């Protein structure tokens, strides 16, 4: 395994090719050479050993670009640290296989196993990116190398900046700048789903509900109006609220509505004149963000509320023909996806999309991030089955 | 009026006496000479022009000490920047007249009138300390100078650090270190009361009520427990609570119970695992702090609560003979005091005490602090009447 913590190598690379410009410093940095024909778990470990915390994806993007360029049967386009690699076989259907190259920051707790470089006991692979989502990226790369004649045309997408503000997303940039490369009938995002097809995703919307009062010295409280007391009904209505479970295209989406933050008051002897409750509603993909907003406004009728953030959900799209055949190839009953993922971006472009990848989403971002080797291999096998 | 903003004067003072050490710098600073026989409103302006924000009382304490020392009929004791000046006429009763020398910081809003030096239009005196409480201190000093043979022995107390943490109080220091100088049958604190006797004061007690939950990603809220929602009943009970008005020694004390601060939650996508509500109960002087605590614990039964702060109230003590004759001399029906004042400290020593001073307490600490000259003169007249 390459160790990305090793010092920068100057000059030409071990792979024999000339080094490319390593960035603004003008330093020529070695490109890691990936063996796409190796065992996919070993390839995952190779990818994990190239640290690629959001904003630092270049070394990994370089390695992926070099490996894809050598394959010959793919047209490779690079945009920043994102890559699109397409077959052009004239098939009746085209599918997208997408994954992000970046990870969240490394754990800082001593003894954490979610580090770089990875550790591998032959069965379980520990380290940052194990589940989110270098196992999925390894599956993409293995498919790119081994499926020379897939039964559907395939568009592989590798992108940067998924784990940070949506405005920075490499996939968003591709949609804006390379939209012509992204047409497809169906999309699979290789985010961790434990090898089960997870369809669509819930949407998310945030509000700030604010109550106002009149400040006064707390020794003469009757001269003021308590804004924190005025927030009691907001909390009571949220606490009493029974979130719905909504069936969309055959999958059950469980919603939730929560106060996620609250703050009010300025001093221990002053009647507070403002209290702000931040509210997050995770809504099923049967609703638009505007419909979700109307629902929360109805519940909190009478309170001043500002929408601060929203992202649409995505319907699972399992009634599309490509989706149906894919679900059949995986051979397990599909589940709803709760967290927001980039399938919503594909969905917005009119491309039905699902999540399907190795690893447990609950381990993503954790200090203990890990994935079972066999899960990566099974995911590769299912996709190979479907596309062969 | 002396302008305390004027540069430090080196060497001997205009008053002709030798300067005293001005502090750790070793600089010899001029002592302001006060004319205690001037109109008491003019004397107030003189005091206001000597800036004495808490911690910076020395120049004012020096001026007061010098003026008192020249009088001859008073025994003057200094402790830090506090002073005790006593008559020893062998009267049947002894009364304390007490006031603090410090003020809160100067206003920073442009155009504020609560500044140093003061401004005086002949009727209304504007500036920091106008109501809280250089008018009261001027009355003390005028009485000290003019009442050579009062009908009761008088102990004048001038003290530092009233406007800051209780542990720094100059009066508290005198109680610990000069207790023998403080015996008395009755006390008057010249805090602003608009010239009406205000008896006793409410007590104050603070709590932190904390709710706990289980953190989880807000996309899978059902895996967590929302601590902010759990705080809903705390706010509801406080909002519904009807504070009592309690009659103590003939005066009606209006209580209040309020959430003064609240905070909970760490991020917009995390179910909050803690919420803390800070609560302030202002309770009538019929209760001890422990009884007040029991009352709030009963109301918020079932919630984790920690007492963070408490100060006992003070009964008005108007049934003491000295108090009764004083109320008669003032000639207005006494009122309860709501804010906590140092009468509680005198009360703790077994000395019945009331507040009585010029100016509106609601203007204290404000950017617009001011006092009417005639209010200061009337306060002096009432006390002169009573003590002559």
């Amino acid at each position: 395994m390459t160790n990305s913590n090793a010092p920068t190598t100057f000059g030409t690379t071990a792979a024999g090719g000339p080094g490319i410009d390593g960035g603004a410093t003008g330093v020529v940095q070695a490109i890691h050479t990936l063996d796409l024909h190796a065992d996919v778990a070993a390839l995952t470990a190779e990818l994990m050993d190239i640290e690629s915390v959001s904003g630092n994806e270049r070394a990994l993007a370089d390695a992926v670009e070099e490996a894809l360029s050598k394959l010959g049967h793919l047209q490779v386009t690079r945009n920043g640290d994102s890559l699109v690699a397409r077959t052009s076989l004239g098939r009746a259907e085209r599918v997208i296989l997408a994954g992000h190259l970046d990870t969240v920051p490394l754990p800082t707790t001593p003894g954490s196993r979610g580090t770089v470089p990875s550790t591998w006991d032959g069965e379980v692979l520990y380290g940052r990116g194990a589940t989110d989502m270098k196992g999925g990226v390894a599956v993409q790369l293995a498919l790119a190398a081994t499926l020379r004649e897939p039964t559907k045309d395939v568009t592989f997408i590798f992108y940067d900046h998924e784990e940070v503000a949506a405005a920075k997303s490499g996939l968003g940039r591709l949609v804006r700048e390379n939209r012509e490369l992204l047409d497809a009938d169906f999309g699979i995002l290789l985010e961790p789903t434990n090898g089960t097809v997870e369809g669509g995703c819930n949407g998310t919307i945030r509000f700030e509900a604010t109550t106002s009062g009149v400040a006064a010295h707390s020794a003469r409280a009757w001269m003021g109006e308590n804004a924190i007391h005025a927030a009691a009904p907001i909390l009571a209505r949220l606490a009493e609220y029974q979130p719905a479970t909504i069936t969309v295209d055959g999958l059950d989406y469980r919603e939730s509505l929560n106060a996620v933050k609250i703050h009010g008051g300025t001093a221990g002897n002053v009647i507070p004149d403002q209290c702000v409750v931040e509210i997050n509603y995770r809504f099923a993909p049967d609703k638009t963000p505007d419909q979700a907003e109307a629902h929360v406004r109805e519940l909190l009728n009478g309170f001043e509320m500002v929408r601060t953030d929203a992202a649409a959900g995505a319907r699972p799209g399992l009634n599309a023909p490509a989706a149906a055949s894919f679900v059949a190839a995986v051979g397990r009953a599909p589940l709803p996806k709760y967290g927001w993922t980039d399938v919503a971006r594909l969905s917005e472009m009119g491309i039905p999309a699902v999540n399907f990848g190795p690893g447990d989403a609950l381990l993503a971002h954790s200090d203990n991030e890990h994935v079972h080797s066999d899960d990566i291999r099974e995911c590769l096998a299912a996709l190979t089955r479907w596309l062969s």
Side-chain angles (χ1 to χ4, degrees), chain A:
Chain A
M1 280 180 262
T2 309
N3 181 344
S4 69
N5 290 329
T8 302
T9 307
F10 294 87
T12 56
T13 71
I20 66 159
D21 190 319
T25 56
V27 170
V28 177
Q29 199 169 350
I31 294 179
H32 300 263
T33 301
L34 302 172
D35 179 3
L36 306 192
H37 293 275
D39 166 53
V40 70
L43 177 56
T44 302
E46 280 193 77
L47 299 176
M48 287 167 65
D49 291 344
I50 306 172
E51 185 260 284
S52 60
V53 172
S54 307
N56 196 31
E57 297 93 337
R58 175 168 292 191
L60 182 54
D62 288 349
V64 170
E65 182 182 18
E66 193 199 45
L68 294 173
S69 302
K70 285 196 265 183
L71 295 175
H73 67 290
L74 296 170
Q75 291 162 315
V76 180
T77 304
R78 179 158 177 164
N79 179 330
D81 288 330
S82 290
L83 291 152
V84 181
R86 294 158 51 96
T87 63
S88 296
L89 301 166
R91 303 299 193 219
E93 286 183 316
R94 174 176 289 279
V95 299
I96 284 173
L97 298 181
H100 61 84
L101 297 176
D102 61 322
T103 70
V104 294
L106 308 190
T108 53
T109 312
S112 299
R113 304 180 74 177
T115 53
V116 172
S118 60
T119 56
W120 191 17
D121 63 11
E123 183 168 347
V124 182
L125 195 50
Y126 285 89
R128 181 55 80 228
T131 56
D132 192 12
M133 57 171 283
K134 291 191 175 174
V137 171
V139 170
Q140 289 179 272
L141 289 171
L143 289 167
T146 56
L147 279 179
R148 300 252 156 187
E149 304 230 324
T151 54
K152 303 170 202 306
D153 270 312
V154 182
T155 302
F156 296 97
I157 303 175
F158 304 88
Y159 58 100
D160 56 286
H161 284 98
E162 192 269 352
E163 298 286 8
V164 288
K168 289 192 169 180
S169 161
L171 183 56
R173 196 175 63 245
L174 289 172
V175 172
R176 289 192 302 275
E177 300 176 9
N178 300 91
R179 179 67 185 79
E180 74 286 357
L181 301 176
L182 306 184
D183 278 330
D185 302 292
F186 182 55
I188 298 172
L189 197 61
L190 283 95
E191 291 272 5
T193 65
N194 267 332
T196 297
V197 177
E198 291 189 354
C201 68
N202 272 339
T204 177
I205 189 165
R206 285 193 187 82
F207 306 92
E208 281 184 0
T210 301
T211 54
S212 297
V214 176
H217 197 290
S218 66
R220 297 178 203 89
W222 50 90
M223 300 188 70
E225 278 178 43
N226 194 311
I228 295 177
H229 294 189
I234 297 177
L235 300 194
R237 290 185 210 173
L238 292 173
E240 285 158 17
Y241 180 80
Q242 294 293 330
T245 295
I246 293 169
T247 305
V248 181
D249 298 351
L251 296 184
D252 294 335
Y253 288 86
R254 190 166 174 179
E255 297 193 333
S256 60
L257 176 64
N258 282 276
V260 284
K261 288 197 220 169
I262 188 168
H263 63 93
T266 56
N269 61 356
V270 175
I271 300 304
D273 62 354
Q274 193 178 67
C275 184
V276 179
V277 186
E278 188 176 326
I279 295 162
N280 185 207
Y281 179 33
R282 301 281 177 151
F283 56 94
D286 66 324
K287 291 178 208 61
T288 64
D290 285 350
Q291 289 168 330
E293 176 171 347
H295 180 68
V296 179
R297 285 196 181 278
E298 192 183 340
L299 180 75
L300 296 180
N301 185 25
F303 290 97
E304 189 193 322
M305 226 170 69
V306 174
R307 169 173 165 173
T308 54
D309 186 27
R315 299 180 70 96
L318 296 180
N319 32 13
S325 73
F326 175 57
V327 168
V330 171
R332 293 193 202 178
L335 295 172
K337 183 80 176 173
Y338 289 118
W340 192 91
T341 74
D342 272 318
V343 298
R345 255 181 236 281
L346 300 178
S347 182
E348 256 186 274
M349 289 195 286
I351 305 169
V354 298
N355 301 278
F356 175 73
D360 183 346
L362 296 180
L363 294 171
H365 306 191
S366 83
D367 285 3
N368 183 36
E369 191 172 351
H370 63 265
V371 66
H372 285 263
S373 309
D374 283 345
D375 291 352
I376 311 172
R377 294 180 190 123
E378 280 168 27
C379 175
L380 174 62
L383 282 161
T384 302
R385 225 161 32 235
W386 180 53
L387 291 169
S388 297

